[in-house]
Amino acid sequence: MKKTLPKILILAAILFIVYNLISMFSSSDETIIAQIEQIETAFSFDGVITRDELRVTAKDALIEEIGVLDPAVSEGEMVSRGKLVLIHYDSSIDDETKKRIAEINSRLSEFESSPDDMSAMEVDEQSLNAEIDKQYSLLFDTAKKRDMREIATIKNEINLLIARKAALSKDSDKALETKESLESEKASILKQYGGKTKEILSQKHGVFSTSMDGYESALTPEKATSMTVSDFDKIMKKNLSSQEAVKEGTIYKICDNSKWWISVCTDSKTASNFKEGAYVTLRLGGENKEIKATVEYISPALNGRYVITFSSNTHSEYALSNRFVSVTAVTQVYKGLLVPIKAIRVIDSKPGVYVRTENTVKFRNIEIIYKDKEKAIVKMNNTGNNPLLLYDEIIVSGNKKR
């Protein structure tokens, strides 16, 4: 009996320890699965966009009196320096002649395109042949009606289609002959009307536009990078329109889309999160796109307020077509595994969490990269020393005594 008693006591002790371990990490404990989470430090503003826009006036284009201006390229089209962008017509030139000049310019622009860029013509040789056959059939029917005006229009269309086919098939001799023919016809028309038409060429490489908002002269790169708080307030209160550009005699502008700026105004607490030369990520309202930018300028303070001007070399259609925008500036991004603060324990001076794995409980080390009162983001480290892994079952609450 005396020998049996120690065995019973040992067995009881073992059962007691097992019971406590089961109680400590029972299924009633609150757990959470380790998932990837991203937390940002971001600030939202109302801002104004500045673009590097060359404004060309009638005086710059050597036009004494503005008549009719017909764009030779599309709104928002990228053009090179010396590209024909506008044709100025005297009011006495008839509409048919204007239309023919526009057709010639359109055809000549195809010769200027890269021969490999055939998608710009939106046709292939087979469809061109079908269209030519269609036009010849139409010409035959129209000839019966003796409608000379319509016959001339159809013949002109056939010539254009044949010319396109020649260019598409890379028949250099025919293409050159067609190009020279078009240039000759155009020169003849211009000579006939003398000084009544004027071709206006782009003065620089960039995006062509005849759409003005009146802020082109008020917002320049130089002003954006030296803007004071007072300057910003005045800009935000102004109510300019395209009439400002009309008053200045502006007929078109070329925008250098390789760089643009956005200026915001904020308090000293928010401004303290930004340093000149630092990189940020911008999100412009209305555009689901992340834009890399730089803090280019921070103004002197005025009554606790600062102007911050960001610059970017990232192309943005939204920035090209809008002036006043809402913008979010992201200064920090923390990405890792989400861990509730109350799940974190410190063992041997190392932070970590308990995880349930099969029928056992293990302690996992963590490296905290961000935390607040409720949660932490820990670094993902699959090769570290006993690290927390994605999809580990973290024990959030329960009896953690060891």
Side-chain angles (χ1 to χ4, degrees):
M1 181 68 180
K2 292 182 179 180
K3 292 182 179 180
T4 305
L5 184 60
K7 292 181 179 180
I8 294 174
L9 291 174
I10 292 172
L11 179 61
I14 292 173
L15 290 173
F16 178 79
I17 292 172
V18 170
Y19 172 80
N20 277 278
L21 284 173
I22 293 173
S23 299
M24 187 184 303
F25 301 116
S26 66
S27 59
S28 62
D29 291 338
E30 179 188 353
T31 64
I32 187 174
I33 301 300
Q35 301 275 9
I36 297 174
E37 182 76 8
Q38 179 172 300
I39 293 178
E40 301 175 339
T41 301
F43 306 88
S44 296
F45 310 97
D46 288 326
V48 59
I49 289 177
T50 297
R51 299 178 284 267
D52 185 0
E53 297 169 308
L54 172 67
R55 294 170 294 115
V56 180
T57 65
K59 184 178 180 181
D60 296 330
L62 304 178
I63 297 175
E64 295 182 1
E65 183 178 352
I66 299 179
V68 179
L69 289 167
D70 271 356
V73 294
S74 303
E75 179 73 19
E77 183 176 335
M78 180 71 72
V79 299
S80 57
R81 184 182 181 188
K83 172 78 173 178
L84 173 62
V85 292
L86 284 172
I87 300 176
H88 178 254
Y89 298 101
D90 184 276
S91 57
S92 64
I93 297 179
D94 62 272
D95 292 339
E96 286 297 321
T97 302
K98 293 178 187 177
K99 181 180 178 181
R100 181 55 186 153
I101 293 175
E103 290 173 348
I104 294 173
N105 287 332
S106 175
R107 184 64 194 95
L108 288 174
S109 68
E110 293 176 5
F111 285 100
E112 296 174 6
S113 302
S114 168
D116 295 328
D117 188 19
M118 303 314 293
S119 60
M121 300 174 110
E122 299 180 349
V123 290
D124 56 24
E125 190 170 357
Q126 185 176 358
S127 63
L128 276 173
N129 286 333
E131 184 61 25
I132 290 171
D133 290 341
K134 179 182 176 181
Q135 290 298 322
Y136 270 120
S137 178
L138 184 60
L139 178 62
F140 179 78
D141 293 337
T142 306
K144 294 179 181 179
K145 301 176 185 178
R146 297 187 178 182
D147 186 342
M148 303 309 295
R149 187 184 183 90
E150 184 65 17
I151 288 173
T153 301
I154 296 171
K155 283 184 175 180
N156 180 57
E157 181 64 22
I158 290 172
N159 288 333
L160 286 173
L161 290 169
I162 291 173
R164 287 189 180 186
K165 181 182 175 182
L168 188 62
S169 63
K170 299 182 180 180
D171 187 334
S172 59
D173 292 337
K174 289 183 179 179
L176 180 59
E177 182 180 344
T178 302
K179 183 172 182 287
E180 290 175 346
S181 175
L182 290 168
E183 289 174 340
S184 176
E185 182 183 355
K186 180 179 175 181
S188 176
I189 293 173
L190 295 178
K191 182 178 180 181
Q192 178 183 351
Y193 284 93
K196 295 180 181 179
T197 63
K198 180 176 179 59
E199 294 186 343
I200 301 172
L201 308 181
S202 174
Q203 296 188 10
K204 66 178 290 188
H205 173 86
V207 178
F208 168 82
S209 177
T210 57
S211 177
M212 313 289 171
D213 62 10
Y215 289 87
E216 285 81 10
S217 58
L219 291 167
T220 65
E222 293 76 20
K223 292 178 180 179
T225 52
S226 61
M227 189 180 294
T228 65
V229 173
S230 297
D231 293 334
F232 182 87
D233 290 341
K234 289 176 183 177
I235 287 291
M236 298 300 283
K237 291 177 182 178
K238 281 185 176 181
N239 187 23
L240 301 179
S241 68
S242 59
Q243 291 303 311
E244 300 298 321
V246 173
K247 291 177 184 177
E248 296 171 353
T250 304
I251 57 175
Y252 77 94
K253 65 183 180 184
I254 297 292
C255 177
D256 181 353
N257 67 334
S258 63
K259 187 176 182 179
W260 51 274
W261 299 257
I262 180 167
S263 301
V264 304
C265 193
T266 189
D267 56 45
S268 58
K269 182 179 179 180
T270 302
S272 65
N273 293 278
F274 298 91
K275 303 295 180 186
E276 288 186 359
Y279 296 104
V280 297
T281 299
L282 302 180
R283 297 192 192 101
L284 303 183
E287 184 178 55
N288 186 23
K289 180 179 181 180
E290 292 196 341
I291 298 171
K292 299 299 181 184
T294 304
V295 180
E296 185 159 330
Y297 164 79
I298 300 177
S299 76
L302 179 62
N303 298 326
R305 297 170 68 218
Y306 296 81
V307 170
I308 302 174
T309 296
F310 306 99
S311 64
S312 178
N313 299 109
T314 302
H315 177 73
S316 167
E317 288 294 334
Y318 194 80
L320 274 175
S321 56
N322 290 274
R323 188 67 75 178
F324 296 95
V325 299
S326 59
V327 58
T328 298
V330 181
T331 57
Q332 292 283 347
V333 177
Y334 306 93
K335 187 174 182 179
L337 299 177
L338 176 65
V339 174
I341 287 293
K342 62 182 181 180
I344 299 175
R345 295 291 181 270
V346 178
I347 304 297
D348 297 332
S349 301
K350 295 180 179 180
V353 294
Y354 286 103
V355 300
R356 194 193 308 279
T357 169
E358 297 180 351
N359 295 322
T360 63
V361 173
K362 293 184 178 180
F363 186 77
R364 300 289 199 200
N365 295 318
I366 60 173
E367 181 181 344
I368 300 172
I369 57 177
Y370 168 88
K371 69 176 181 177
D372 55 29
K373 293 180 180 180
E374 297 181 352
K375 58 187 175 298
I377 301 295
V378 304
K379 186 176 181 180
M380 294 181 65
N381 183 7
N382 295 334
T383 60
N385 180 23
N386 189 33
L388 177 67
L389 301 176
L390 181 65
Y391 304 129
D392 273 350
E393 185 180 2
I394 302 170
I395 299 174
V396 177
S397 64
N399 186 358
K400 301 294 193 304
K401 293 180 180 180
R402 295 191 59 176

